[in-house]
């Protein structure tokens, strides 16, 4: 007979088994929790890696940005950007024979190229004799008593600096009322000693137009002319010219002339002003950073540079109110507020190209090739417009224009679709999505040059107009007040525009200081 197990032993075994199950269940719970925590940690790490990858890609993109894919001036490009641009240009030019330099080609102008250097004046101011050569340039032998072989010539163009002290005799007349009146001198005032118009012009050209700091301009004048002027004189020379222009109504004349033009370009750039402009109502600094505005005709015949207290929309477009022609601008939204009164807005295609180049560099793979296609299509459209103008046609072939526009719309739609949900480490949407949406929204403004042949497809003229302000800031660092900035802007506008109307800088300064400055007039309608 089998032995019956003890009841208490069975109970103990059952209890031990239950505890074992509890331990196993607890361990299973811990293992599941650890697995879950591990999965969460792995997911978090993957997210961090993905975010860091996006950040690294963005930093690499910014590091490689240059003047061809951003607003960065070429003078401030990084070494990497310059090297990358040169490499891309070499690669691009490999198959373009006209851009390849032959190993046998001499540097400089080629035979048959019309030069732009000096040419001999048949009526020189002075002829001087030079001693004959003493030794033969071939064998080195002496040439004393050698046969006369004719005369060669060489001509040097130079100028003489003559220091003069002119004293003006000022007649006086006594009126019947008993008051004596003295004649006004051409410069300065009665009973004073001052510098003449040429030294004033030198001070203005160096400091306001040549962007030489005031103290340095005074030193250069002393080195060139032997006259020790002060920095205060240089500053007062600029102030006098600005006052003469303001009194003559130069600003209002320039504005009236510009508003009568059929096409204008506009651009703006930040500048550094030490003492900001104050709000006349509150006495506090005006919010925002000071900028210079440039409004320019496409062929640079008229250039108006003027300061604005900030980049607020109202400040930027204030002087353009009343203009009804075509306006060429970059993508800044302030100009859209003028759209209702303008004949049309042309978005600068060069800005579009830069943004497209920047987006085309973003990965993965060739997903951003749509941006390269947009550039190619717009370049093709520009070539077609150029050919049509050369053939004296006033519009593009409708079928050609429709085909170009259809390809553009397809490429832009591809950019929207492929970037709509793409991750991005920076602020806002992915740059590809933002650009594609912008190109879709403002397509009519991007393509205006294909319908209005008188409108340039880039705003390069206005961009060149802001470079003097950037150069001045690079050399002098800042403007002290908004008044000195306004003075600098007025002088630059005057001298630049006067030069494009056939005046020399010195003549423009002299006539202005005499109280008769050149003033722009509206073009005939």
């Amino acid at each position: 007979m089998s032995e019956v197990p003890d009841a208490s032993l069975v109970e103990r075994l059952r209890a031990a088994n239950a505890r074992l199950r509890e331990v196993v269940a607890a361990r299973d719970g811990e293992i599941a929790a650890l697995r879950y925590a591990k999965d969460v940690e792995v997911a978090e790490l993957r997210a961090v890696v993905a975010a860091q990858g996006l950040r690294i890609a963005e930093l690499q993109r910014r590091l490689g940005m240059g003047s061809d894919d951003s607003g960065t001036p070429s003078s401030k490009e990084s070494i990497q950007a310059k090297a990358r641009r040169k490499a891309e240009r070499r690669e691009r030019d490999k198959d373009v024979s006209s851009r390849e330099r032959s190993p046998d080609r001499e540097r400089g102008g080629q035979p048959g190229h019309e030069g732009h250097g000096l040419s001999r004046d048949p009526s020189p101011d002075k002829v001087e004799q030079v001693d004959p050569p003493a030794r033969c340039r071939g064998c080195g032998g002496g040439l004393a008593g050698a046969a006369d072989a004719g005369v060669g010539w060489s001509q040097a163009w130079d100028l003489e600096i003559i220091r003069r002290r002119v004293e003006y005799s000022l007649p006086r007349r006594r009126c019947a009322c008993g008051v004596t009146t003295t004649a006004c001198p051409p410069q300065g005032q009665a009973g004073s000693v001052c510098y003449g118009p040429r030294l004033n012009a030198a001070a203005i050209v160096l400091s306001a137009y040549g962007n030489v700091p005031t103290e340095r301009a005074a030193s250069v004048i002393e080195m060139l002319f032997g006259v020790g002027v002060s920095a205060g004189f240089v500053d007062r020379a600029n102030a006098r010219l600005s006052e003469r222009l303001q009194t003559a109504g130069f600003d209002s004349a320039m504005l009236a002339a510009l508003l009568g033009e059929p096409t204008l370009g506009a651009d703006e750039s930040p500048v550094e002003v030490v003492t900001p402009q104050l709000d006349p109502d509150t006495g506090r600094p005006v919010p925002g950073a000071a900028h210079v505005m440039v409004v320019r005709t496409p062929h640079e015949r008229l250039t108006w540079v003027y300061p604005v207290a900030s980049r607020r929309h109202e400040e930027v477009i204030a002087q353009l109110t009343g203009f009804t022609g075509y306006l060429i601008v970059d993508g800044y939204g302030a100009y859209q507020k003028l759209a209702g009164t303008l004949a049309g807005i042309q978005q600068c295609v060069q800005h579009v190209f830069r943004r497209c180049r920047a987006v085309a560099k973003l990965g993965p793979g060739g997903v951003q090739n749509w941006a390269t296609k947009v550039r190619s299509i717009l370049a093709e459209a520009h070539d077609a417009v150029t050919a049509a103008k050369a053939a004296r046609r006033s519009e593009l072939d409708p079928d050609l224009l429709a085909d170009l526009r259809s390809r553009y719309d397809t490429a832009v739609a591809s950019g929207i679709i492929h970037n709509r949900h793409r991750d991005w480490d920076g602020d806002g949407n992915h740059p590809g999505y933002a650009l594609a949406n912008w190109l879709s929204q403002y397509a009519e403004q991007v393509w205006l040059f294909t319908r209005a042949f008188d409108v340039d497809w880039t705003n390069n003229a206005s961009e060149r107009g802001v470079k003097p302000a950037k150069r001045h800031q690079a050399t002098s660092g800042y403007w002290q007040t908004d008044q000195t900035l306004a003075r600098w802007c007025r002088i630059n506008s005057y001298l630049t525009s006067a030069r494009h109307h056939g005046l020399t800088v010195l003549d423009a300064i002299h006539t202005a200081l005499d109280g008769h400055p050149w003033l722009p007039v509206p073009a005939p309608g």
Side-chain angles (χ1 to χ4, degrees):
M1 294 182 63
S2 61
E3 186 177 350
V4 178
D6 184 17
S8 60
L9 178 60
V10 172
E11 290 298 325
R12 288 196 299 274
L13 290 173
R14 287 176 177 171
N17 192 31
R19 288 195 298 273
L20 182 59
R21 287 195 180 103
E22 290 176 359
V23 170
V24 171
R27 293 292 184 271
D28 289 343
E30 290 178 1
I31 292 171
L34 289 172
R35 285 177 175 169
Y36 176 76
K38 182 180 180 181
D39 291 341
V40 170
E41 184 178 2
V42 169
E44 290 176 349
L45 288 173
R46 286 176 176 169
V48 170
V49 170
Q52 293 299 325
L54 291 172
R55 180 166 299 178
I56 290 171
E58 169 63 5
L59 291 175
Q60 288 177 334
R61 182 182 73 90
R62 292 183 183 181
L63 186 63
M65 288 173 67
S67 58
D68 62 335
D69 57 9
S70 72
T72 304
S74 56
S75 60
K76 293 186 177 181
E77 281 184 324
S78 65
I79 295 175
Q80 294 89 336
K82 289 182 179 179
R84 186 258 308 161
R85 236 177 357 106
K86 288 181 180 178
E88 289 180 351
R89 186 165 58 245
R90 284 195 300 268
E91 188 66 26
R92 185 172 60 248
D93 295 343
K94 278 184 179 178
D95 300 326
V96 185
S97 58
S98 62
R99 296 288 299 275
E100 283 289 314
R101 177 180 292 276
S102 169
D104 302 326
R105 181 183 177 187
E106 295 284 340
R107 288 192 173 273
Q110 302 305 300
H113 178 265
E114 182 180 355
H116 300 286
L118 299 176
S119 58
R120 186 185 185 186
D121 189 333
S123 302
D125 300 303
K126 184 178 182 181
V127 177
E128 293 187 358
Q129 295 296 326
V130 177
D131 293 336
R135 293 191 174 276
C136 174
R137 66 183 181 89
C139 66
L143 293 177
D148 188 349
V151 179
W153 66 270
S154 175
Q155 198 171 88
W157 291 21
D158 206 345
L159 54 85
E160 293 184 15
I161 300 174
I162 303 174
R163 288 189 290 274
R164 297 186 303 171
R165 295 172 180 85
V166 180
E167 182 168 298
Y168 297 96
S169 178
L170 308 178
R172 292 177 175 174
R173 297 290 183 267
R174 182 178 289 108
C175 180
C177 69
V179 175
T180 300
T181 303
T182 304
C184 295
Q187 293 92 31
Q189 57 188 6
S192 68
V193 179
C194 64
Y195 292 117
R198 290 175 180 81
L199 285 174
N200 276 267
I204 293 166
V205 169
L206 285 172
S207 59
Y209 205 56
N211 303 314
V212 179
T214 304
E215 294 81 2
R216 184 64 177 165
S219 299
V220 171
I221 290 174
E222 183 175 9
M223 287 186 284
L224 285 175
F225 304 117
V227 180
V229 303
S230 67
F233 162 72
V234 175
D235 186 71
R236 288 192 298 274
N238 286 279
R240 277 191 292 271
L241 177 58
S242 179
E243 289 169 3
R244 297 286 198 281
L245 294 174
Q246 192 171 16
T247 301
F250 173 76
D251 292 354
S252 57
M254 177 63 79
L255 179 59
L258 288 171
L259 293 182
E261 290 288 324
T263 305
L264 292 176
D267 200 4
E268 69 287 332
S269 179
V271 292
E272 183 71 24
V273 178
V274 176
T275 305
Q277 183 176 341
L278 300 179
D279 189 318
D281 298 327
T282 64
R284 296 182 177 181
V286 175
H291 280 64
V292 291
M293 278 289 301
V294 174
V295 179
R296 202 172 203 184
T297 53
H299 299 296
E300 305 180 13
R301 188 172 54 85
L302 295 175
T303 300
W304 192 25
V305 186
Y306 59 93
V308 291
S310 70
R311 204 174 181 232
R312 291 183 300 170
H313 287 192
E314 295 75 15
E315 294 271 0
V316 169
I317 65 174
Q319 300 297 334
L320 290 170
T321 302
F323 179 60
T324 57
Y326 292 107
L327 187 62
I328 310 170
V329 297
D330 57 20
Y332 188 44
Y335 303 109
Q336 297 301 322
K337 294 186 176 181
L338 299 170
T341 58
L342 296 174
I345 293 178
Q346 172 64 56
Q347 292 292 340
C348 176
V349 182
Q350 191 60 247
H351 280 76
V352 173
F353 279 11
R354 291 172 189 164
R355 295 179 67 183
C356 285
R357 288 190 188 100
V359 167
K361 296 175 184 177
L362 302 176
V367 72
Q368 307 298 346
N369 283 344
W370 67 272
T372 303
K373 291 179 181 178
V374 166
R375 286 176 49 205
S376 176
I377 295 166
L378 288 172
E380 190 176 339
H382 178 253
D383 291 342
V385 169
T386 302
K389 289 180 179 179
R392 300 186 180 277
R393 296 197 300 270
S394 60
E395 62 180 11
L396 283 182
D397 177 78
D399 293 335
L400 172 61
L401 180 57
D403 176 67
L404 290 168
R405 182 60 188 274
S406 175
R407 289 161 52 197
Y408 170 91
D409 292 338
T410 300
V412 169
S414 175
I416 294 174
I417 294 170
H418 286 89
N419 292 292
R420 189 189 305 275
H421 301 295
R422 193 172 299 282
D423 293 332
W424 182 246
D425 180 65
D427 297 332
N429 294 314
H430 188 280
Y433 183 69
L435 175 59
N437 272 287
W438 187 89
L439 290 173
S440 175
Q441 181 180 357
Y442 295 106
E444 294 302 318
Q445 295 181 5
V446 172
W447 284 80
L448 177 63
F449 74 96
T450 63
R451 304 187 304 275
F453 278 12
D454 292 336
V455 179
D456 286 353
W457 74 322
T458 73
N459 197 25
N460 289 347
S462 298
E463 283 199 351
R464 286 192 293 270
V466 302
K467 284 185 177 180
K470 294 180 179 179
R471 283 196 296 265
H472 182 91
Q473 189 160 278
T475 55
S476 299
Y478 56 83
W479 284 268
Q480 190 65 41
T481 66
D482 58 300
Q483 289 87 1
T484 56
L485 173 61
R487 185 177 75 189
W488 182 92
C489 289
R490 183 177 293 117
I491 292 173
N492 269 265
S493 300
Y494 172 68
L495 295 181
T496 301
S497 299
R499 284 187 64 199
H500 282 90
H501 282 76
L503 277 74
T504 67
V505 169
L506 292 181
D507 286 343
I509 293 174
H510 289 171
T511 56
L513 292 177
D514 286 342
H516 307 288
W518 168 86
L519 293 178
V521 295

